[in-house]
Amino acid sequence: MSQLTRVWVLSDNAERYAELMTGARQWGQQVHAIVYGAEQASRLQALGADSVTVLEPHSDLQRIENFAETLAALIEQQSAGQPALLLMTTTKRCKALGARLSVLLNATLVNDATAVSIDASGVCAQHRMYGGLAFGKEKLNSALAIITLAPGVMEPAATDPSHTCPVITAEYIAPRHEIRCRQRRAKTLSSVDLSKAKRVVGVGRGLAAQDDLAMVRELASVLGAEVGCSRPIAEGENWMERERYVGVSGVLLKSDLYLTLGISGQIQHMVGGNGAKVIVAINKDKNAPIFNYADYGLVGDIYKVVPALIDALSH
């Protein structure tokens, strides 16, 4: 068995469906997309879904986690007890939904999978362990396997605007304990998706002040790159958005170039940076672990090297 009969895909981030569809096509004979809101149906038709099921929000306070009972009934009806897979993204909401579905459907759940394989014995999923120091491979023994797929694992599927498929609306089944939003507060969001960037300039603790990000952004502009950072810059100093943090629990890069500035190179960070094709490191500490990962390294003060690079690349 190299493929399952059915694979469902679901994401609360519309941009991730293309990656999920690539995996679903590889691992399933039939791919059934589940979307939150009818406006997403045409997108999934163009990505090649065999059918699209719409979860219609019932109010502004409706959350995707509240569709666990609805999805459980839908999957039970369509799978008929046959081996199947529900593939979702690694967002907080999809993980919460996956946990509820695993209980309702007595299904095995693996989060943050970096690889999936299917053979005669069933479905296996690989994921990082011990802060990225090792990989674990789990066999999912239940008839339904639930997997949240890490971003960047699959290449996005191509679209075909001429492709059509049936679109149905799921009958909503209210949960016994609904999750409701009592308050909304504005949050500064970043539109960047580092997992899709071709070039990334990453900055770490070697940066002395938040104002110094200006020279990092200038260098990134000259290189046509996005700016990323290590975890302390995003979650310790709060100098940059959470979406720009590269690491084991942040973004996993697939870029052509990753230029690191003042990043020591701890394993938790390099799990996210190692996917880059070329890594260039600049650090004043010649013993920094980052040089063990770098294709090219320069021992130097970023406050001297970065302005020199900007000057050289601008001419």
Side-chain angles (χ1 to χ4, degrees), residues 102-163:
S102 69
V103 174
L104 291 171
L105 295 170
N106 193 28
T108 310
L109 168 66
V110 172
N111 282 318
D112 302 298
T114 56
V116 177
S117 60
I118 299 173
D119 54 30
S121 64
V123 180
C124 293
Q126 176 181 282
H127 63 101
R128 291 183 176 84
M129 301 174 64
Y130 310 121
L133 291 173
F135 287 93
K137 188 174 183 180
E138 313 291 347
K139 180 182 177 183
L140 288 73
N141 291 317
S142 56
L144 173 67
I146 302 176
I147 294 174
T148 62
L149 193 67
V153 171
M154 310 299 296
E155 289 294 324
T159 59
D160 178 6
S162 65
H163 177 79

Side-chain angles (χ1 to χ4, degrees), residues 38-102:
E39 66 277 2
Q40 298 297 333
S42 59
R43 175 194 289 263
L44 271 299
Q45 284 183 315
L47 287 172
D50 293 306
S51 73
V52 178
T53 299
V54 176
L55 307 177
E56 278 292 359
H58 281 58
S59 71
D60 290 340
L61 301 181
Q62 191 68 55
R63 295 168 61 95
I64 196 169
E65 300 96 311
N66 290 325
F67 282 90
E69 284 78 1
T70 302
L71 289 170
L74 174 71
I75 291 170
E76 278 188 322
Q77 179 184 6
Q78 293 184 356
S79 66
Q82 297 299 310
L85 169 64
L86 172 60
L87 197 61
M88 299 191 292
T89 49
T90 55
T91 61
K92 292 180 180 179
R93 287 186 173 180
C94 281
K95 287 182 179 180
L97 177 61
R100 298 180 76 168
L101 285 171
S102 69

